[in-house]
Amino acid sequence: MKRLLLLTALCCGQATSAGLIDPEDGMLDMSHNLEDKPYGFLPIPVVITEPAIGYGGGLFGLFLHGKGTQANGRFIPPAMTAFGGGGTENGTWFVGGGHRRTWQEDHIRYLIAGGYADINLDIYSGDVAGFSRNKAINTETQGYGGMHKLLFRVGDSPVFLGASQSWSKADIAAKNNPVIDRVWQRVLGDDSTSSSLGVVAEYDTTDNFFWPGQGVSLSGEYQFYGHFLGGDYRYDLLTLDGKVFLPLNPTWTLSLAGNYQMLSQQDQHLPPMARPYIKLRGISSYRYQGDDVSTVQAQLGWQVTPRWIVQGFVGAGSAEDSASDLYTSAEVAWGTGFRYLIAREYGLHTGVDVAFSDHEQAVYFNVGSGL
C-alpha cells in the first residue's frame, strides 16, 4: 500500500508538470497529450487473467492523429493507430497493431490490422479426433496474419456498405499428446493457411465511437473462405452483431448487445480455431465452440461523477451444431467494473472489469464499454 501511495503521488506530480491535468476540473486527463504532441499516446496496460491462457501482461499504445470533429450530433474520431504486445505464464506471447481512419466527414471508413502470436490454448471441441466438451486438448498455435475492411456510407444515411479481406498462416500442434498430434498432421498438414473475402453492411447511429451514450450499431458480415483465395480450407462464416445504447436518465445508461455466428459450407476437417466460440467476459476463449453460436448481454452504467462510471453486466451464450438447438443449454457470465474518462475531448474511457462464470473468473482492462 505504501508503494502504491508513493507511485500515485509521483504520477500526480509528473502529470501536473507534463500538462496532464484538466484545468476545468483538476483531474487527470490526456486530451492535451493526445491532441498536441506528435508522439503523444495513451498507454493501455494489458493485465491478462484470461482463463484459457493464464496470467500475464503487456502494453499497447493508442495514438490519435488529430482532434476529431463534430457532425450531425456525433463525434467523428481522428485517425488512430495502436500497437503493442504481451505474454502470459503458459508461454503465450503476441505482438500486433492496427490503424483506423475516415475520410469525407465519416463517409469512408477504413481499418487494417495485423500481428504475430504464439498461443498455448486449451480447446474443447472440433471435428478432428481428441475433443470432448469436458476434456481439453492443449494446443500450440504459431502464426501471423492480418485483415482490412473498407466501408462507404450510403448518401447521408447511417448505412454503410463495403468489403473485408483476411489472411493468416499458422502451425498448429497438440502439445503433450503425440497420438493426436500425428492425426492432426496427417489430416491438417504441417501448417495451414486461411484466406477470406467478405461483404459487409453496417448501420450506425451512435454518438461517439469511443463511448456511445445513445444510438444503435448493427453489422452483418459474410466471409467466404476458399482455395481460390489462397487458403487451404473451404467454409463460409456469417457474423451478425448488434448494440443498443439507451440513456435512462442523465446518470444511468442501459446497453444491450447480441451476436450470432454461423459456420456453413465447410470442408470435412477444419483447424480447431476456425469454429465460432462463445465470447463473453468471464468465459475462456474457445471453451465453447459450435457451428452456430449466439451471445446476448446487458450492461447498466451509473455515472457517479463526470469522470467516473460504475457498471454491472450479465451475459449468456450458447454454442451448438445447429441453430434450432441454440439456448437449449446456455453458459452465463456476470460481473462489475468501472470506467474513468481519461480523455474528455474524445469521450475516451478506460477501466477494469471483473467477471465470473461457473468455475472461472477473470479481470479485464478495457478501453470503451467492454461490450
Side-chain angles (χ1 to χ4, degrees):
M1 180 61 69
K2 290 180 180 179
R3 292 178 180 176
L4 179 60
L5 292 174
L6 179 60
L7 179 61
T8 302
L10 180 61
C11 288
C12 288
Q14 291 177 339
T16 301
S17 62
L20 300 181
I21 299 300
D22 190 337
E24 290 193 12
D25 58 10
M27 300 290 288
L28 175 66
D29 189 282
M30 298 194 68
S31 297
H32 172 72
N33 186 65
L34 294 170
E35 287 178 350
D36 300 331
K37 295 186 178 180
Y39 303 104
F41 68 96
L42 174 66
I44 303 172
V46 181
V47 177
I48 303 171
T49 60
E50 166 61 56
I53 57 176
Y55 294 94
L59 183 67
F60 274 76
L62 175 63
F63 297 79
L64 300 179
H65 312 294
K67 297 183 178 182
T69 59
Q70 290 283 343
N72 300 321
R74 70 182 188 278
F75 175 73
I76 301 175
M80 63 190 77
T81 302
F83 62 86
T88 72
E89 60 183 344
N90 79 346
T92 292
W93 65 275
F94 55 89
V95 293
H99 179 76
R100 181 189 188 273
R101 70 179 303 124
T102 65
W103 292 275
Q104 299 180 10
E105 295 187 342
D106 200 28
H107 278 68
I108 302 174
R109 295 179 177 181
Y110 181 68
L111 172 67
I112 185 170
Y116 177 89
D118 186 340
I119 304 174
N120 298 309
L121 181 69
D122 288 343
I123 295 181
Y124 290 77
S125 64
D127 53 18
V128 182
F131 292 103
S132 74
R133 282 293 176 96
N134 299 315
K135 183 179 180 181
I137 298 298
N138 184 232
T139 68
E140 181 179 15
T141 301
Q142 299 175 322
Y144 53 91
M147 61 79 64
H148 59 131
K149 181 186 298 185
L150 180 64
L151 297 174
F152 297 89
R153 185 184 294 272
V154 179
D156 291 325
S157 75
V159 176
F160 291 84
L161 299 175
S164 65
Q165 195 271 329
S166 68
W167 183 90
S168 64
K169 187 178 183 65
D171 180 7
I172 306 171
K175 296 180 63 179
N176 306 321
N177 198 321
V179 175
I180 294 177
D181 189 52
R182 282 196 295 271
V183 174
W184 284 9
Q185 297 302 319
R186 184 178 298 273
V187 174
L188 301 177
D190 294 331
D191 55 37
S192 62
T193 300
S194 294
S195 182
S196 76
L197 182 65
V199 291
V200 186
E202 293 188 1
Y203 176 90
D204 185 11
T205 62
T206 55
D207 57 349
N208 188 292
F209 173 80
F210 295 113
W211 186 263
Q214 61 182 6
V216 177
S217 174
L218 305 174
S219 68
E221 182 175 14
Y222 199 97
Q223 294 172 283
F224 303 87
Y225 289 81
H227 307 285
F228 69 98
L229 298 170
D232 295 329
Y233 307 101
R234 170 73 184 98
Y235 61 97
D236 296 343
L237 180 62
L238 170 67
T239 302
L240 303 176
D241 191 81
K243 298 180 179 69
V244 181
F245 303 92
L246 303 169
L248 304 179
N249 59 43
T251 58
W252 291 89
T253 300
L254 176 64
S255 303
L256 305 173
N259 179 274
Y260 171 71
Q261 297 180 73
M262 179 184 69
L263 188 71
S264 62
Q265 306 294 329
Q266 69 262 37
D267 288 342
Q268 183 178 1
H269 299 298
L270 295 178
M273 296 177 70
R275 295 189 178 280
Y277 64 94
I278 293 176
K279 187 175 182 180
L280 290 173
R281 287 166 289 183
I283 295 179
S284 297
S285 297
Y286 296 96
R287 176 65 175 86
Y288 303 99
Q289 291 179 274
D291 288 348
D292 289 84
V293 176
S294 173
T295 61
V296 291
Q297 299 182 71
Q299 181 167 281
L300 186 63
W302 175 33
Q303 185 92 39
V304 183
T305 73
R307 289 279 180 178
W308 291 96
I309 295 173
V310 176
Q311 59 187 28
F313 54 88
V314 62
S318 179
E320 302 293 345
D321 292 332
S322 66
S324 60
D325 294 329
L326 286 174
Y327 294 105
T328 54
S329 64
E331 304 300 323
V332 178
W334 64 94
T336 186
F338 70 87
R339 294 293 184 272
Y340 178 78
L341 181 59
I342 191 64
R344 181 173 53 82
E345 295 296 328
Y346 299 94
L348 184 60
H349 292 71
T350 184
V352 179
D353 291 326
V354 181
F356 306 87
S357 63
D358 288 343
H359 314 299
E360 292 181 325
Q361 65 182 50
V363 179
Y364 302 87
F365 278 68
N366 283 315
V367 174
S369 68
L371 289 176

